[in-house]
Amino acid sequence: MPREKVASFEIERLEVLDEDGNLDGSLEPDLSDDDLVSMYKTMKRARALDERAIKLQRRGEIGTFAPAIGQEAAQVGSAYALEDEDWMVPSFREKPAFLTRGAPMEALLWYDAGLEEGAEIHDRNDLPPAIPVASQTVHAAGIGWAQELEDDNSASLVYFGDGATSEGDFHEALNFANVFDAHTVFVCQNNQYAISLPREEQTKSETLAQKAVSAGVEAVQVDGNDLLAVYKATRDALEKARQGKPQMVEAVTYRLSMHTTSDDPSVYRDEEEVERWKQRDPIDRIEKLLRRRDVLDDATVDGIEEEIDSEVDDAVESLKQKKADADPADIYRYVYDEIPDGLLRQMEARQGVEE
């Protein structure tokens, strides 16, 4: 019998705004200047918070921390496409997305300091950060399935990194989502490194988006440092997901800082590579566009930065007060409905020492 091709696929790549701030008007999403300034400010807030959090960690005031410096467009652009009733399912590097969804800056620092109040779900449909790699993709598929069963017009969006696409949970979640028509959008932030392992060494797949094809899920690759392209790709994906057609978006970006504050990226990558990516900084790119449109100038940028500095200062002061008011016995509470005898004895022994 002759051989014949039984399947083929293509992965499209989307870019709207280039590194010099030049715009492809035919692809520009319907966003007002106010929208763009809001997104720009959120990206700068996220970067300022990350930079301060690194200093806090170095002084021992918060725990191990995972910065998102360089990935702001991938998160702010995608989270901005969500509606309030949609669900966001984050990994552990999603401060820009949380800020976009309206999370208070101080609450994010509380979480980094080990105060679980910082991860509480209040009036937003945002799950707490997931630390195990790729586990949250399964949660998002489940939420998306529930949205389908309830004939809900909302959707779920899950964040994960390039390393997660080599985990079993990721493939199971994709397959489940498509079989059961889940309203789920899978957003991969391909930041080039799975902790310290270069992307080329942890998977030989030409793109990460094409991994979705094996589950029959539509996928697109997008310039992850292009705020407008990420927003457009995610918005389009969400529209399809609401109809029971799960989607995947691969945002090609770069982590300019360390994986977490417990590692040293200079050990596994060279400075020339980092400098090349700094030329593609996502915040600089959208700022060039807004300056070209006379929406921003030096004075407005200075004003925005002063406002953000003040907000970060207030968040740090809130953290100090929250830590001072914290009850150490809280580490024993809230995990079990009834505290096991062993933990109960530990808690009572600690209280005895304190008294």
Side-chain angles (χ1 to χ4, degrees):
M1 298 291 291
R3 295 190 178 198
E4 58 182 335
K5 184 181 293 184
V6 295
S8 62
F9 66 91
E10 294 181 345
I11 299 296
E12 293 186 345
R13 177 184 170 89
L14 177 65
E15 180 177 317
V16 178
L17 185 66
D18 72 14
E19 296 170 26
D20 297 321
N22 299 309
L23 185 70
D24 185 332
S26 66
L27 297 174
E28 183 180 5
D30 184 18
L31 290 167
S32 67
D33 285 345
D34 287 343
D35 286 323
L36 296 178
V37 171
S38 176
M39 297 164 84
Y40 166 77
K41 289 175 67 174
T42 302
M43 293 167 72
K44 289 184 73 76
R45 290 170 67 217
R47 177 139 333 164
L49 180 59
D50 272 355
E51 291 172 346
R52 183 70 68 86
I54 292 173
K55 294 177 181 175
L56 292 173
Q57 193 278 333
R58 296 309 190 215
R59 295 202 298 262
E61 296 183 45
I62 65 173
T64 300
F65 170 69
I69 297 172
Q71 298 180 218
E72 291 90 351
Q75 295 189 30
V76 174
S78 52
Y80 205 83
L82 289 167
E83 301 292 340
D84 290 344
E85 61 272 20
D86 293 333
W87 281 82
M88 183 182 82
V89 185
S91 177
F92 49 79
R93 199 188 302 280
E94 269 69 61
K95 275 190 174 53
F98 271 114
L99 291 174
T100 306
R101 295 277 282 170
M105 192 178 280
E106 61 267 23
L108 301 179
L109 287 180
W110 296 349
Y111 175 80
D112 292 323
L115 301 165
E116 293 297 332
E117 298 97 315
E120 282 187 67
I121 300 175
H122 294 289
D123 55 350
R124 301 181 310 279
N125 291 338
D126 301 340
L127 290 191
I131 305 302
V133 175
S135 61
Q136 73 279 11
T137 59
V138 181
H139 306 157
I143 294 172
W145 183 33
Q147 289 163 330
E148 169 66 13
L149 291 175
E150 295 179 359
D151 198 21
D152 190 335
N153 193 41
S154 61
S156 60
L157 182 150
V158 59
Y159 290 105
F160 52 94
D162 40 295
T165 67
S166 296
E167 295 282 348
D169 280 358
F170 163 74
H171 296 279
E172 293 168 16
L174 278 172
N175 188 65
F176 181 96
N178 209 18
V179 168
F180 292 101
D181 304 325
H183 297 196
T184 307
V185 174
F186 297 81
V187 176
C188 174
Q189 295 175 81
N190 175 5
N191 70 10
Q192 313 302 320
Y193 287 90
I195 305 183
S196 58
L197 193 64
R199 173 248 188 274
E200 294 78 12
E201 294 182 27
Q202 65 96 3
T203 178
K204 294 299 183 184
S205 187
E206 188 174 359
T207 71
L208 302 183
Q210 71 194 60
K211 295 189 178 186
V213 175
S214 65
V217 172
E218 292 183 20
V220 64
Q221 186 185 81
V222 61
D223 182 339
N225 284 14
D226 176 350
L227 179 69
L228 302 184
V230 173
Y231 171 82
K232 178 178 174 56
T234 310
R235 184 201 60 190
D236 293 347
L238 284 165
E239 286 182 6
K240 293 179 180 178
R242 297 183 205 286
Q243 307 304 315
K245 298 177 180 177
Q247 305 286 307
M248 177 172 165
V249 176
E250 176 194 0
V252 180
T253 181
Y254 190 79
R255 166 169 51 80
L256 289 172
S257 189
M258 66 283 283
H259 170 69
T260 71
T261 47
S262 64
D263 86 336
D264 176 5
S266 67
V267 173
Y268 54 83
R269 67 186 187 189
D270 60 57
E271 191 58 31
E272 288 184 7
E273 176 184 293
V274 178
E275 288 301 318
R276 285 198 302 274
W277 278 93
K278 282 183 179 177
Q279 303 306 312
R280 304 167 66 179
D281 190 298
I283 299 178
D284 292 346
R285 191 182 297 194
I286 190 66
E287 184 175 317
K288 288 175 183 174
L289 174 68
L290 292 172
R291 283 179 178 272
R292 187 171 296 162
R293 289 180 171 178
D294 293 327
V295 176
L296 291 180
D297 56 22
D298 289 345
T300 54
V301 171
D302 289 345
I304 288 171
E305 291 177 349
E306 288 177 10
E307 180 184 327
I308 291 172
D309 286 344
S310 177
E311 183 184 12
V312 174
D313 287 343
D314 290 346
V316 173
E317 284 302 313
S318 171
L319 171 64
K320 291 178 180 176
Q321 187 61 51
K322 195 72 176 176
K323 289 173 68 177
D325 296 340
D327 182 355
D330 281 349
I331 64 175
Y332 300 100
R333 304 186 178 115
Y334 312 123
V335 174
Y336 298 97
D337 182 41
E338 294 184 11
I339 302 177
D341 289 343
L343 290 180
L344 191 59
R345 287 196 294 274
Q346 286 183 29
M347 184 171 69
E348 291 171 346
R350 180 185 177 87
Q351 288 172 334
V353 170
E354 291 174 347
E355 293 170 358

